[in-house]
Amino acid sequence: MDANMPILASTSPTAVPWLSVIVLLPITGALLLPFLPEGESEKQSQLPRNLAISILLIDLLIMLFVFGRVFNPSEGGLQLVERANWLPFLGLEWSVGADGISAPLVLLSGLITFLSAAASWKVTQKSRLYFALLLVQASAQALVFLSQDFLLFFLAWELELVPVYLLIAIWGGKRRLYAATKFILYTALASLLILISGLALALSGDNFTLNISELANKNYEGSFGILCYLGFLIGFGVKLPIFPLHTWLPDAHGEANAPVSMLLAGVLLKMGGYALLRFNVQLLPEAHQILAPALIVIGIVNVIYGALNAFAQDNVKRRIACSSVSHMGFVLLGIGAIDALGISGAMLQMISHGLIAAAMFFITGSFYERTNTLSIPNMGGLAKILPITFAFFLTSSLASLALPGMSGFISEITVFLGITSQNDFTSIFRAITIVLAAIGLVLTPVYLLSMCRRVFFGPRIPAVSLTEDMNPRELVIGLSLLVPTLAIGFWPRIAIDLYESSTNLLADKLITNSLVVLNQGLTFG
Amino acid sequence: MPTLAGVFVKRMPSAAEIAWLIPVLPLIGAVITGLGLITFNKTINRLRKPVAVLLVTCLGSAAVISYAVLFEQINGSPPLEHLFVWASAGNFILPMGYVIDPLAALMLALVTTIALLVMIYSHGYMAHDKGYVRFFTYLALFSSSMLGLIVSPNLLEVYVFWELVGMCSYLLVGFWYDREGAAHAAQKAFVVNRVGDFGLLLGILGLFWATGSFDFQNIALGLSEAISSGDVPTWAALTLCLLVFMGPMAKSAQFPLHVWLPDAMEGPTPISALIHAATMVAAGVFLVARLEPIYTQFPSVGLVIAVVGTITCFLGASIALNQMDLKKGLAYSTVSQLGYMMLAMGCGAPVAGIFHLVTHAFFKAMLFLGSGSVIHAMEEVVGHEPVLAQDMRLMGGLKKKMPITANTFLIGCIAISGIPPLAGFWSKDEILGQAFNTFPLLWFIGFLTAGMTAFYMFRLYFLTFEGTFRGENKELQKQLLSSAGKVDDDQEHHNPGELHESPWPMTMPLVTLAIPSIVVGLLGTPWDSKFAALLNPQEAIEMSQSFQWGEFLPLALASVAISSSGIALAVMAYFLNRIKLSEVFANRYPAIDEFLKRKWYLDEINEKIFVQGSRKLAKEVLEVDAKVVDGVVNLTGLLTLGSGEGLKYFETGRAQFYALIVFAGVIGLVALFGVLGTPPI
C-alpha cells in the first residue's frame, strides 16, 4: 500500500457515495436520539420510535434504489467501491464495496432491521436507548456486509455485538443477563480467532495489506492456509452457528424479545455464512477444497442434531432457535459442495431462512403479547381465537419445512443438487450426505407441525385473556416477510439474478484451483 | 372479409397451447380469496356467493379447456411440451413448463370434472360451516396443484406439485382445527407423506446423478446407456427406481405407508371424495405410469410394485370387512382399490391401471359424496360428533328418507363389486387378466379380494340404507361415545331433527357421477378399447387382435361368480339377517377378528417405534446438548457468573462497561500490531 495514497472520496462512477450513505445514515440517526426529550408522556416516548422507523425506512429505500438501479447484477466483481484512508497508522481504511454476495444480504438486513423496529412498537421502557441501539445495529450490519477492508470488517463485526448484547440484557426475559453474557463471551472469544487469522493472512507474503481483494490475490501455503481457515471457521462458526458452538443461540432467542430475535435469526446468523463465503472460500480456496468434506460433515450434524433438539424443546422460541441451527446446516452443506450450484443454494438458503425465521419470531412475538406464555404444553386451540395469526404461523412453518412454492424449497433443493453434481466427491460420500441431509427434511415437519398442532389446533382454550387478532401494522410486517418468501419460491430468479454472477465467479475460482487436486483420501474414498 | 377470417383462424391457438391456464385459473381464484381472507377476513367471509361463483367459474373454465385438450388428443394431435428456465446456477439450468399428451389430457378432464362437482356439492355440504370461504379457497388451491402435477414435464416439477397437493391435503384434513382428531390426522398425513417424499427426492437426485436429467424420457434413455456402459451398476439403478417408488407408495396409500389415509377421513367428506379417493391418492399411480419407460427396463421393480399392490389390495379389503364407521369403510376400500391399480402397474399394464383409476375415480367419488349426504342427514339427528354421525350401528333404513342417495350409492356398490356392465367390472377384470398372465399367484389374491370387495360394499349398503333406523337409540349413542373416549357434551344442546334427502347441490353431483359409473367402462372393453386407443394405440391394436372369447370368458365369469357370492353373503347376513355373521366370526376366530379390528396392528407398531422412538431420541439429544455440549460453555459459565456479578456493579452504566471492553480490545489490537511489527505503510 502506498503511504501517499490520496484520500479518495469515491471511485465509483456515480458521484454519490451510496454505500457510505447506507452505512452511515442509521448511526447518524442514533447520535440524534439522545438529544430527544426524555419520554415522560406517551407521545414523547413514541418520538424516538417514529424517528428510528423513518430512518430505517429511508435507509431501506436507498438500498432498494442502489441495488435495484445503480448496482449491476450481471457483473460478478466488486462494484460501487469507495476507499478512503481512515487511520493510516493502523492501516485502517474506509473501504466499502458490493458484489452479488453482499447485495442481497444488505437488502435482507435492511428489510429485517426496519421490520424489527416496526415490531418494537410497544417498547416504551428506555425507548431512546432502545431505538438508538437498533440504529447502531443497522449500521454495523450493513458495514459487515459491505466493508472490503479486513480491519474495518472486524470493527463492524465487533461493533454489532454491543447493541445486541445490550438489547438482550436490558429488554430480555427473566434470564436475560445469563443469555446476554453467554452470547457476548462466546462471540467475543470467537472474534479473537477471526482477528488472529485475518492478521496472519495480512502479514503473510511480501506485502502487508488489509484489503480483501488484495488478500485474495495472495497465495497461502498448505498448512498455514489450513490453520487460518480453521481459525476463521471457528470464529464465524459461532455466529452461523455450527455444532458444537451453537448453545448460545437457544438461550439468546429464549430471552431476547421478539424484534431482537428477528434480528438475531434474520441477520446475525447470516453474517456467519457471509463471512465463510467471503474469507474461507474467497481467500482460501485451496484450504477450502481440502476441508470442504469436513464442512459437509458439520453441516449434516447441524441439520439432524438441530432438528432433534428442536423436537424436544417445549418453548416456542427455543424450538424455532434450534430449527435455525438445523436450517443453517444447509448453508454449510452448500458451501461445502464447492460448486456453483452449492454456493448458490447456500446464498439462497441464507436469504430464505432470514425471511422465514424472522417471520416466525415476529409472529411468535405477536401472539406472546396476547398469551404471555411461550410454553407449548400450556397452549392449545389458539387458532379459534387468533385465526389470522394461525394462518401466518402455519404459512411460515410450511415455508420453513421447505414446501415448494416458498423460498426454502428452492434453496434446499439447490444445495442437494450442488452436492449431487459435485464429481470431486466420491459417489458413496455424496450418497451418504444426501441421505442424511434428507432425513432432516423428514424431521422438520415433525417438529414444526407438532408445534403448530399443540399451539393452535385442538379444542383447548388457554386460560389467558385474549384481546384481538393481528392488527393492520402486524399484518403489514408479516406480509412484508412472507410475500418475498412466496415470490422467491414462485420465481427464484428475482433473488438468484442478484447474486448469480458473483457466486459463479467464486465457483470458477474454486474450479481453477482444483488443479490442486482434491485429496480423495479425505472424501471417504 | 375472408382473408381476415383466415388470419383469425390461423392465429386461434389450439387448446393445448393455452393449457397452462388450466392450473393457473384456479390458482388465481385461490390467491384472490386467500389474500382477501387474510386482509379483510370478516368481509370476505360474508361474501359466500361471490366467492363460490368466482371459484366455480375459474375451475369451470379450466374444465372447458381440459375437455378441449382431451378432444384434440383423441383426434390425434401430437403431444406438446413447453419449457422455460426456472432457476439456474453455473451451467446448470432447471427447466419447468407443461406437457400435454394423452395421459395428461385424460387426467385433466377427470380431475376438473370431479373437482367441479365436488365444489358444487360443497356449496350444500358446507352451507352451515363458518369456514365456507376458507374451504373453497383450499379446494381451488388443491385443484390448481393437482392439475399442475398432471401437466408436469419432469420429475422435479412433479415433486413440486406433489408436495403442494400434500400441503392442501394437510390443510383440508385439518380443516376443522378445533378437533383433536383432525389435528393429529393432518400431521400424520403430512409426515407419512414426507417419508415417502424422502425416498422420492433421493430417487430424483440419484437419477439426476446417473443421467443428468429430470425428464422422463431422457432419464429412461440415459439410465439404460449408463447401465450398459457400466457407469452405473444395476443394483444402484434398481435402488433408485425403488426409492422413487416410495413417493407413490405414500401418496397412493400403499402398504406400509397407507396408515395416513384412513385417519385422513377426519377431513370434511367432500375432501375425502375429491382428494382421498378420486384424485390425489391416484397421483401415485399416475406417477408410476409416467415412470413406465424407466420401470420397464427392470422387471424386478415391476415385481416389487405388483407385490406391494397386491398386499395393499388384500389388506385394505380385509380391514374394510368389519369397519363400523361408514367413511373408514370406504377409506379402506380406497386403499384396496389403489392396490389393484398398483398391481396393474407392476404387471406392466399401465393402460389397465389408468383405466381403473378413471372408473374408480367416478364411482368412489360418488360413494364418498353419498356417504357425505348420509352424514349430513345423520347430523340432524345425532349431532355433529363424527363418532355418532358416521357409525353404521346408528344408521339403517335411510333408503326411505333419502332415495337419491341410496340409489346412487347402490350403483356405486355394484360398480365397485365388478358386476357387468358397470364400470368397475371392465377395469378390474382387465387388471386381473393381466395379473393372471404375469403373476398367477398375485392374480389369485386379487381374485379373492374381488369377492371380499363385493361383500364389504354391500354390507355398507345394507347397514346404512336397509332395515330400520337405529339413530334414536340414546343408549347406543352413549355406549359408542364412551368407547371412543369422548364426553357426551354436544347432545345436551342439540335438538334432534328429521332425516331428509340432501338439497340439490348435493344430489346433482351424485346423479351426474352415476352416469359415468355405469357407462364409462364400456369405453374400455377388451375387444375394442377406446381407452387403450387413446393412451397407447399400438397396445389397443394388439389387445383387439389377441382378444379371444375363450380366454376372456372364463376369467370374467369367475370374477362375476366370486363377486356374486360376496354379495350373496352380504344379503344373507345384513339384509335378510339369516346369519349373525360378525358374531359367529368373532366367536370362532377371535384372533383374526381382533387382528382386523386393530388394522393389522400397524398403528400400534408405528406409534411404538416411530412416534415414541423419535420423541425419546430427541429428548436424549436435548439432554446431551444441555449437559455435555453446553457444559463446556458452562465452564466459561463460571466466568459468566463472575462477569454477571461484576456487571451488577455497573448496573447504572452497563453501556460504559461495554465501551470499556471495546476500548480494551482496541488497545489490545494496537499492542498486537506493536508486537507483530509496524505495518509497512
Side-chain angles (χ1 to χ4, degrees):
Chain A
M1 205 182 295
D2 191 348
N4 299 324
M5 199 178 83
I7 295 170
L8 295 173
S10 165
T11 55
S12 66
T14 48
V16 189
W18 284 117
L19 299 184
S20 301
V21 172
I22 288 174
V23 172
L24 295 175
L25 178 67
I27 204 166
T28 320
L31 294 177
L32 283 178
L33 281 188
F35 296 104
L36 291 177
E38 182 73 54
E40 274 161 17
S41 71
E42 196 165 312
K43 209 161 192 186
Q44 278 173 329
S45 73
Q46 284 170 359
L47 196 59
R49 175 193 76 199
N50 295 346
L51 191 66
I53 293 178
S54 325
I55 290 173
L56 289 170
L57 178 61
I58 294 169
D59 206 34
L60 176 62
L61 292 175
I62 297 175
M63 286 177 194
L64 284 171
F65 168 74
V66 171
F67 293 110
R69 292 257 166 258
V70 186
F71 181 80
N72 177 10
S74 58
E75 212 175 284
L78 273 183
Q79 296 177 47
L80 309 169
V81 179
E82 298 157 27
R83 289 177 74 167
N85 270 332
W86 189 10
L87 298 175
F89 69 96
L90 276 180
L92 181 60
E93 204 181 52
W94 178 267
S95 165
V96 288
D99 62 2
I101 296 168
S102 15
L105 295 173
V106 173
L107 276 173
L108 179 76
S109 79
L111 175 70
I112 291 188
T113 319
F114 163 63
L115 294 176
S116 150
S120 311
W121 199 259
K122 290 185 179 159
V123 173
T124 45
Q125 182 205 357
K126 297 184 188 166
S127 67
R128 288 183 308 173
L129 181 58
Y130 181 91
F131 287 101
L133 289 172
L134 267 188
L135 289 171
V136 174
Q137 173 72 8
S139 286
Q141 286 164 357
L143 190 56
V144 164
F145 293 127
L146 289 173
S147 77
Q148 296 305 325
D149 180 275
F150 172 73
L151 212 51
L152 187 64
F153 166 87
F154 184 75
L155 283 182
W157 185 273
E158 292 295 294
L159 176 62
E160 148 274 323
L161 297 181
V162 188
V164 175
Y165 168 76
L166 292 174
L167 285 169
I168 297 174
I170 299 177
W171 288 270
K174 280 188 193 120
R175 293 172 68 229
R176 54 180 183 264
L177 214 56
Y178 170 76
T181 317
K182 196 169 177 182
F183 165 76
I184 202 79
L185 281 175
Y186 235 69
T187 37
L189 289 177
S191 302
L192 206 61
L193 286 172
I194 300 173
L195 183 66
I196 293 169
S197 305
L199 290 181
L201 292 187
L203 292 167
S204 84
D206 301 331
N207 60 326
F208 175 86
T209 175
L210 287 166
N211 186 286
I212 294 173
S213 312
E214 287 165 33
L215 284 173
N217 291 333
K218 284 194 191 177
N219 226 340
Y220 306 102
E221 296 295 313
S223 56
F224 172 73
I226 288 180
L227 269 178
C228 293
Y229 186 95
L230 289 175
F232 278 141
L233 181 62
I234 296 171
F236 300 136
V238 167
K239 268 264 168 45
L240 194 69
I242 63 175
F243 174 87
L245 310 172
H246 63 277
T247 50
W248 64 271
L249 189 71
D251 282 320
H253 273 304
E255 299 307 317
N257 68 0
V260 176
S261 279
M262 287 168 72
L263 281 181
L264 272 172
V267 187
L268 255 74
L269 307 191
K270 309 302 159 310
M271 290 181 181
Y274 166 81
L276 277 183
L277 281 175
R278 181 64 77 210
F279 293 93
N280 292 43
V281 181
Q282 193 182 335
L283 299 191
L284 301 160
E286 286 153 31
H288 180 56
Q289 249 150 357
I290 294 167
L291 289 173
L295 228 55
I296 286 184
V297 172
I298 301 173
I300 290 171
V301 174
N302 258 36
V303 168
I304 294 179
Y305 186 87
L308 286 172
N309 257 326
F311 189 36
Q313 293 284 3
D314 269 344
N315 173 299
V316 178
K317 283 178 84 181
R318 292 180 78 96
R319 189 173 278 211
I320 305 172
C322 290
S323 94
S324 291
V325 176
S326 179
H327 283 116
M328 292 309 278
F330 280 97
V331 174
L332 283 173
L333 288 176
I335 297 176
I338 39 174
D339 57 8
L341 264 170
I343 294 173
S344 169
M347 272 307 289
L348 201 53
Q349 176 73 352
M350 286 199 269
I351 300 166
S352 157
H353 177 262
L355 294 168
I356 297 167
M360 294 198 77
F361 277 119
F362 166 68
I363 299 153
T364 306
S366 148
F367 71 74
Y368 176 66
E369 282 177 10
R370 291 159 171 83
T371 62
N372 286 318
T373 178
L374 286 173
S375 157
I376 297 174
N378 291 347
M379 283 188 271
L382 278 189
K384 236 181 163 169
I385 319 154
L386 305 170
I388 307 283
T389 311
F390 171 49
F392 272 84
F393 197 77
L394 192 59
T395 312
S396 32
S397 298
L398 291 171
S400 184
L401 57 81
L403 191 82
M406 318 254 207
S407 56
F409 168 73
I410 179 76
S411 60
E412 288 180 15
I413 198 86
T414 315
V415 169
F416 274 117
L417 287 169
I419 292 175
T420 310
S421 52
Q422 177 51 271
N423 289 321
D424 284 348
F425 296 146
T426 58
S427 296
I428 195 81
F429 178 74
R430 279 182 274 170
I432 293 172
T433 304
I434 286 170
V435 169
L436 290 176
I439 288 176
L441 288 189
V442 180
L443 292 175
T444 327
V446 170
Y447 66 76
L448 281 176
L449 295 185
S450 71
M451 173 163 70
C452 284
R453 174 173 60 76
R454 290 167 70 188
V455 173
F456 286 98
F457 286 78
R460 279 190 300 137
I461 292 166
V464 278
S465 60
L466 291 160
T467 44
E468 53 187 18
D469 213 345
M470 287 169 92
N471 58 35
R473 172 183 60 88
E474 292 172 318
L475 270 182
V476 171
I477 299 175
L479 285 175
S480 310
L481 291 164
L482 289 181
V483 167
T485 311
L486 278 163
I488 296 173
F490 266 84
W491 194 239
R493 301 208 64 85
I494 51 175
I496 295 176
D497 281 345
L498 199 54
Y499 64 73
E500 195 185 3
S501 343
S502 293
T503 51
N504 284 348
L505 204 68
L506 200 57
D508 284 346
K509 194 172 169 186
L510 288 170
I511 291 162
T512 359
N513 255 294
S514 66
L515 293 174
V516 185
V517 180
L518 191 96
N519 190 340
Q520 291 289 329
L522 272 171
T523 61
F524 286 39
Chain B
M1 293 265 235
T3 47
L4 262 182
V7 169
F8 181 70
V9 169
K10 236 182 205 167
R11 290 228 180 123
M12 256 293 270
S14 72
E17 277 164 18
I18 55 165
W20 56 272
L21 276 171
I22 297 171
V24 168
L25 282 172
L27 178 68
I28 293 173
V31 167
I32 293 172
T33 51
L35 279 179
L37 272 178
I38 286 175
T39 44
F40 302 102
N41 191 285
K42 289 200 179 109
T43 323
I44 291 287
N45 268 322
R46 254 180 266 125
L47 299 172
R48 294 183 165 204
K49 269 265 167 59
V51 166
V53 168
L54 169 74
L55 295 180
V56 167
T57 313
C58 287
L59 200 56
S61 323
V64 170
I65 304 175
S66 301
Y67 274 96
V69 167
L70 180 61
F71 284 117
E72 275 179 12
Q73 290 295 321
I74 290 174
N75 292 332
S77 289
L80 179 128
E81 190 176 61
H82 184 82
L83 297 175
F84 58 87
V85 176
W86 191 53
S88 65
N91 47 17
F92 168 87
I93 57 164
L94 183 51
M96 291 275 167
Y98 71 94
V99 65
I100 294 297
D101 62 358
L103 179 59
L106 182 69
M107 291 291 292
L108 286 177
L110 178 76
V111 170
T112 48
T113 309
I114 293 178
L116 196 59
L117 288 171
V118 166
M119 220 177 228
I120 294 166
Y121 179 94
S122 305
H123 178 63
Y125 191 84
M126 302 297 284
H128 306 295
D129 199 287
K130 277 184 203 142
Y132 178 95
V133 173
R134 187 163 57 93
F135 185 79
F136 268 69
T137 309
Y138 288 171
L139 263 188
L141 196 60
F142 168 76
S143 310
S144 171
S145 318
M146 186 67 209
L147 295 166
L149 172 62
I150 291 168
V151 296
S152 295
N154 61 50
L155 264 177
L156 204 67
E157 193 176 328
V158 164
Y159 183 83
V160 167
F161 288 108
W162 192 263
E163 286 262 295
L164 286 178
V165 289
M167 171 203 73
C168 296
S169 163
Y170 169 81
L171 292 175
L172 283 160
V173 172
F175 183 78
W176 286 313
Y177 44 66
D178 50 347
R179 291 186 186 171
E180 199 72 59
H184 279 278
Q187 190 189 331
K188 187 172 177 183
F190 197 95
V191 172
V192 172
N193 271 293
R194 251 295 158 94
V195 172
D197 294 353
F198 161 82
L200 178 61
L201 180 70
L202 292 181
I204 293 174
L205 290 170
L207 289 172
F208 175 72
W209 159 78
T211 65
S213 176
F214 296 114
D215 180 89
F216 297 104
Q217 290 300 333
N218 290 344
I219 291 177
L221 288 175
L223 201 58
S224 62
E225 268 172 33
I227 290 174
S228 57
S229 73
D231 287 344
V232 175
T234 316
W235 63 265
L238 275 178
T239 313
L240 294 178
C241 288
L242 291 176
L243 279 172
V244 171
F245 181 60
M246 274 179 77
M249 271 173 77
K251 195 82 44 198
S252 287
Q254 300 295 304
F255 172 84
L257 296 179
H258 67 279
V259 285
W260 65 273
L261 184 59
D263 288 20
M265 296 300 124
E266 287 283 347
T269 309
I271 292 315
S272 310
L274 175 65
I275 301 187
H276 302 121
T279 57
M280 186 190 82
V281 290
V285 180
F286 169 78
L287 179 58
V288 177
R290 276 270 184 252
L291 293 167
E292 188 59 20
I294 303 168
Y295 283 171
T296 43
Q297 302 172 27
F298 306 100
S300 44
V301 173
L303 179 63
V304 172
I305 295 176
V307 169
V308 168
T310 312
I311 295 175
T312 311
C313 170
F314 182 74
L315 169 136
S318 70
I319 298 176
L321 289 176
N322 63 358
Q323 282 295 309
M324 274 302 165
D325 179 309
L326 177 59
K327 276 182 78 182
K328 287 257 166 87
L330 287 175
Y332 279 107
S333 158
T334 306
V335 171
S336 172
Q337 298 297 313
L338 288 166
Y340 272 119
M341 295 174 210
M342 273 311 170
L343 169 62
M345 294 297 162
C347 293
V351 174
I354 294 293
F355 185 30
H356 196 55
L357 188 163
V358 172
T359 59
H360 174 258
F362 286 120
F363 57 68
K364 188 51 76 55
M366 179 175 71
L367 286 165
F368 262 114
L369 293 182
S371 79
S373 176
V374 168
I375 293 163
H376 196 66
M378 286 296 289
E379 281 174 346
E380 288 285 317
V381 182
V382 300
H384 286 270
E385 175 57 54
V387 169
L388 298 178
Q390 290 170 204
D391 198 297
M392 289 186 294
R393 279 165 284 197
L394 291 174
M395 296 176 187
L398 296 186
K399 188 180 179 185
K400 280 163 236 144
K401 302 283 181 169
M402 21 193 354
I404 304 177
T405 307
N407 285 322
T408 49
F409 201 94
L410 182 61
I411 291 171
C413 287
I414 303 173
I416 197 175
S417 301
I419 302 296
L422 272 73
F425 167 75
W426 302 103
S427 53
K428 194 190 284 180
D429 210 57
E430 200 179 323
I431 294 175
L432 288 177
Q434 294 280 359
F436 187 75
N437 292 330
T438 330
F439 308 113
L441 178 66
L442 299 185
W443 165 81
F444 183 69
I445 300 173
F447 172 74
L448 275 185
T449 307
M452 288 154 73
T453 309
F455 169 76
Y456 71 69
M457 284 311 297
F458 275 85
R459 173 177 170 272
L460 293 184
Y461 175 76
F462 291 134
L463 282 176
T464 308
F465 293 102
E466 300 292 346
T468 48
F469 185 56
R470 303 175 285 271
E472 272 131 6
N473 186 344
K474 289 277 173 199
E475 268 314 296
L476 190 55
Q477 290 189 12
K478 284 218 174 83
Q479 203 184 320
L480 291 175
L481 276 175
S482 66
S483 68
K486 303 238 172 168
V487 195
D488 188 7
D489 58 346
D490 197 31
Q491 304 307 305
E492 286 161 29
H493 36 84
H494 181 74
N495 301 319
E498 275 288 299
L499 284 175
H500 58 80
E501 182 60 281
S502 300
W504 74 265
M506 290 168 69
T507 49
M508 188 278 275
L510 288 176
V511 176
T512 314
L513 284 168
I515 300 165
S517 299
I518 298 172
V519 300
V520 82
L522 298 171
L523 294 173
T525 54
W527 55 88
D528 178 23
S529 175
K530 304 271 193 305
F531 242 88
L534 173 64
L535 292 178
N536 189 344
Q538 206 176 340
E539 193 181 317
I541 296 166
E542 280 167 24
M543 265 170 76
S544 60
Q545 276 172 355
S546 65
F547 175 76
Q548 284 170 334
W549 285 100
E551 257 178 45
F552 170 74
L553 275 181
L555 277 178
L557 284 176
S559 299
V560 174
I562 194 161
S563 297
S564 308
S565 16
I567 296 173
L569 189 60
V571 169
M572 296 289 283
Y574 298 104
F575 183 51
L576 303 173
N577 295 316
R578 288 283 167 78
I579 36 174
K580 295 220 170 275
L581 188 65
S582 47
E583 285 87 347
V584 171
F585 185 80
N587 288 334
R588 193 168 294 176
Y589 306 107
I592 300 181
D593 192 55
E594 189 64 13
F595 182 69
L596 295 181
K597 276 205 179 112
R598 290 290 181 87
K599 301 150 189 172
W600 292 32
Y601 294 101
L602 288 169
D603 277 336
E604 276 91 342
I605 295 171
N606 185 31
E607 172 76 22
K608 269 257 153 55
I609 298 179
F610 294 107
V611 178
Q612 292 179 4
S614 64
R615 269 194 209 132
K616 215 172 143 206
L617 179 64
K619 281 260 174 327
E620 275 160 15
V621 168
L622 187 65
E623 196 101 317
V624 169
D625 196 58
K627 297 215 169 118
V628 182
V629 182
D630 202 38
V632 181
V633 191
N634 277 332
L635 279 185
T636 23
L638 291 177
L639 265 175
T640 311
L641 249 168
S643 62
E645 292 297 319
L647 268 178
K648 281 189 184 154
Y649 297 105
F650 293 88
E651 197 67 53
T652 44
R654 245 179 243 134
Q656 290 98 314
F657 177 68
Y658 192 77
L660 264 173
I661 296 180
V662 173
F663 187 64
V666 173
I667 291 193
L669 215 144
V670 176
L672 246 165
F673 271 95
V675 174
L676 294 168
T678 319
I681 297 174

